Amino acid sequence: MTVLRSAGKNKNNKDKGRNVLLHQCATATLLFGLGAAVGASDLRANELVPPAFEIAQQENDNQDKFLILQTNLHPPYQELQNGLLGGYSISVLNCAFERIGVGYGLAVAPRQRNRDMVRSGRADGFFLARISDFMDEYAVATHPLALEKWVWVSPSSNVVSSKARHLPKPGEFTTIGAILGSNEAEWLSEQGYEDVMRVPSIASLVSQVAAGRVDFALVDKQSFEIARNDLGLGAEQFLVQFERYAPLVVYFSKRYVETYPDLLGKLNNVLEFCETRPMHLEPWERDAIERIQLPIVRQFAKSKDLIRNVRAVLGTEHIPSDQKRVIDEEWTALSRRGLASSMAQNILDNILSDYLQTFKNTAGAQVAEVFVFDLAGQVIGMNRLTSDFDQSDEVQYQMTDSINRDHALIADIRYDASTRTFLSQITVPIIDPESGRTLAALTVGLDVSAALRPES
């Protein structure tokens, strides 16, 4: 049964601040009741929408947890689609809230206003935001929903090309641009960039760069490409240089988390099932991994100490498929809660895992995880708890075939819940130097936010 209530009479909007939230949105599309969408077909990004909303909310046990999240238009993450608010992050949140059975609403406003409303307690949360110490003072972050690739965009004209070939540094005499109130603008301020030109939209910023009025703009690569195409500008008009990856999260107000302390954990537990779009490695990224990290992984896979420890833990008994499935199910269920099954704990305590932990500590922040699985796809050593036990259904399992002994598999970027980082996994076979046969396979998960920074 669906019950209609006006915004002002919803029993969850107990304070005037919530009503103000609904009324003050510059533009608003509200999604309610486990992902159902309500919107005006003539909604525009810069129009004011009168405060005439109704809430269609599912009657369920989690009704009291109904919340309003603030957001902003930021294609392709949040964008208007036929008058409704959609995009990648919206689809992920719809999936996650439906899985935990909690109704939620969305209100669109400028980025800075969204932050202010959460800080002042007039909103339950907002997205997408980068993780920052400043935000952590008054809000609590979820696991990442998306990964932005920040790039410096500059004109490719001959007038400025000579000075655009390097990345700008704080204090240099150059014009830096960013979107008003954006994650990038905040980061620039923290890094010491002064007199940043802040413009209201990505389209305006790209136009300023194309016209030569901005030397460098720091933007998300996907958003830049969409705006450039919408403006009818060619890729040859710009020089694009990578700066960093930025994980993006939902921030919930501490007040809401204190009121409903179990919701954040439930949401984090299901987000991994709703992330549907891995980021493909660009040619330069794959080349960097092949040139820098892959040789290190190959050398480690050939080390005498690793091979000795692998031999020491390799089992001689074949685990029946039905028993392996039971082990994997228990392992996976407990790992989602940060707990180790008895099998997982035994593996964590073996000498191979100790050796892998030493390698991880030596490698530093660029390596997020390292584990070894045998020819049956079973994890036999790991520096930390993996999300599952059986790797035989994963693409990297092909590395256990001896015909692949000279190959390596470099996977695209995806979010890994067990390490809470965005990873690109390198998998190589571990070869017996005496027989030339494959003993097992080694997977090293690179934290791309650290491994692919320019200074790395």
Side-chain angles (χ1 to χ4, degrees), residues 164-322:
R165 291 294 171 181
H166 73 286
L167 298 179
K169 305 296 181 183
E172 291 182 348
F173 187 72
T174 187
T175 304
I176 305 295
I179 301 171
L180 178 66
S182 66
N183 293 309
E184 296 91 327
E186 282 188 350
W187 182 83
L188 286 170
S189 178
E190 291 175 0
Q191 300 304 308
Y193 291 88
E194 299 179 352
D195 299 324
V196 176
M197 180 184 295
R198 292 170 169 83
V199 299
S201 68
I202 181 68
S204 175
L205 182 58
V206 174
S207 297
Q208 296 274 12
V209 174
R213 289 189 285 271
V214 170
D215 297 327
F216 292 93
L218 186 62
V219 293
D220 169 56
K221 188 171 186 289
Q222 286 193 74
S223 300
F224 160 71
E225 290 173 347
I226 291 173
R228 186 198 67 204
N229 291 336
D230 288 345
L231 292 168
L233 301 173
E236 72 281 356
Q237 296 179 247
F238 302 92
L239 176 65
V240 178
Q241 301 177 84
F242 175 73
E243 168 57 43
R244 65 182 49 242
Y245 283 103
L248 300 182
V249 301
V250 179
Y251 264 109
F252 285 94
S253 71
K254 288 188 174 180
R255 183 189 67 173
Y256 185 86
V257 173
E258 290 171 359
T259 305
Y260 305 108
D262 62 327
L263 183 134
L264 190 63
K266 290 180 178 179
L267 196 67
N268 284 336
N269 286 340
V270 301
L271 278 176
E272 63 177 300
F273 302 104
C274 297
E275 202 284 324
T276 57
R277 189 177 59 183
M279 293 183 65
H280 296 294
L281 288 168
E282 293 188 29
W284 73 265
E285 294 168 318
R286 189 172 294 275
D287 178 67
I289 292 173
E290 289 177 351
R291 287 187 297 102
I292 301 171
Q293 280 90 13
L294 180 56
I296 298 172
V297 174
R298 285 192 188 278
Q299 182 179 7
F300 181 58
K302 295 177 181 178
S303 68
K304 293 180 180 179
D305 289 339
L306 176 65
I307 293 172
R308 183 182 68 252
N309 287 315
V310 168
R311 284 173 172 161
V313 301
L314 277 176
T316 57
E317 297 182 2
H318 173 72
I319 299 179
S321 59
D322 56 344

